[in-house]
Amino acid sequence: MSSVLRIALQKSGRLSEDSYQLFKECGIRFDYGTGKLKSVSSNFPAEFLFLRDDDIPGYVEDGVADLGIVGENVAVETGRPVQTVHKLGFSKCRLSIAIPRGSDWTGIQSLDGKNIATSYPNLLGNYLAGQGVRAEIHEISGSVEIAPSIGLAEAVCDIVSSGSTLMSNGLKEVETIFRSEAILISRSELDADKQALVDKLLFRIKSVQAAKNNKYIVLNAPNHALDQITSLLPGMKSPTVTPLATEGWSSVHSVLNENEFWENIEAIRAAGAEGILVIPIEKMIY
């Protein structure tokens, strides 16, 4: 192969399993497991590097890796001049400020003159500056939630998914300052061969994402209600309608977006549709 993409992935943690699953769904096979530092795909021109998440933007900037999957929060916090190629839609979380449960909160100005512990000093500092709040930021690399109980800070700013970790440490979430998800990043300049490989990879990723956001619908409809029912099922271009053996009825096949699913299904049933089948889609190619 004249060109091979080098892709940096988190070696362990929140993003690693979801990243591996994405490539698996894209039909790209490579060995993945604890202790591995790199792996070469057996069916796609790509080599995977397994790194600490904080290091991935730097490796991409320096050209050691062509692409990387990293949390948007990490990419912004590190400030490395890398490009966001595509948002991947998984590992969604938020960076939030939390305070002890019994503390008063009247808004972000409550933090003026206070101490805040965080692993994200740049994101937090920029947010506070934009709000006109002056606070002392204490950068710590782990166990941020313990800071108020040991007297280090009156508040913390940390990544939140469900909020259970905050609750178990006697904290309450009061302000979200940044929303994040996994993103695909690249270095600023790729040669034509590598850019062509990136385009092929993006085609696969977008096909997998589109499939997850849609469902394949098959139903039986009375012919007198076909216009009403098909108007609720736009599909990729238009629904497929075929006559049934039972006179006056037709089978309708279409695709329905997940976000519109329940509302439209209720309307379709009310219009007279019967025998509705909902089928997952593995890939969706436009």
Side-chain angles (χ1 to χ4, degrees), residues 34-48:
T34 305
K36 274 193 170 292
L37 298 178
K38 66 179 182 178
S39 179
V40 177
S41 172
S42 60
N43 64 345
F44 190 86
E47 180 181 39
F48 294 88

Side-chain angles (χ1 to χ4, degrees), residues 157-179:
C157 182
D158 201 15
I159 290 296
V160 179
S161 293
S162 66
S164 59
T165 303
L166 294 178
M167 291 181 62
S168 65
N169 284 278
L171 302 174
K172 61 180 179 181
E173 185 179 357
V174 292
E175 184 95 1
T176 296
I177 72 168
F178 189 81
R179 294 191 180 275

Side-chain angles (χ1 to χ4, degrees), residues 8 36 46-47 49 57 60 67 70 92 94 98 131 134 143 153 156 160 178 192 197 231 242 246 249-250 266 281:
K36 274 193 170 292
E47 180 181 39
L49 310 177
V60 172
L67 301 174
V70 69
K92 292 185 177 182
R94 58 195 181 273
Q131 299 293 320
R134 294 188 177 185
S143 302
V156 302
V160 179
F178 189 81
L197 290 177
S231 69
T242 56
T246 302
W249 285 80
S250 295
E266 290 171 1
I281 302 172

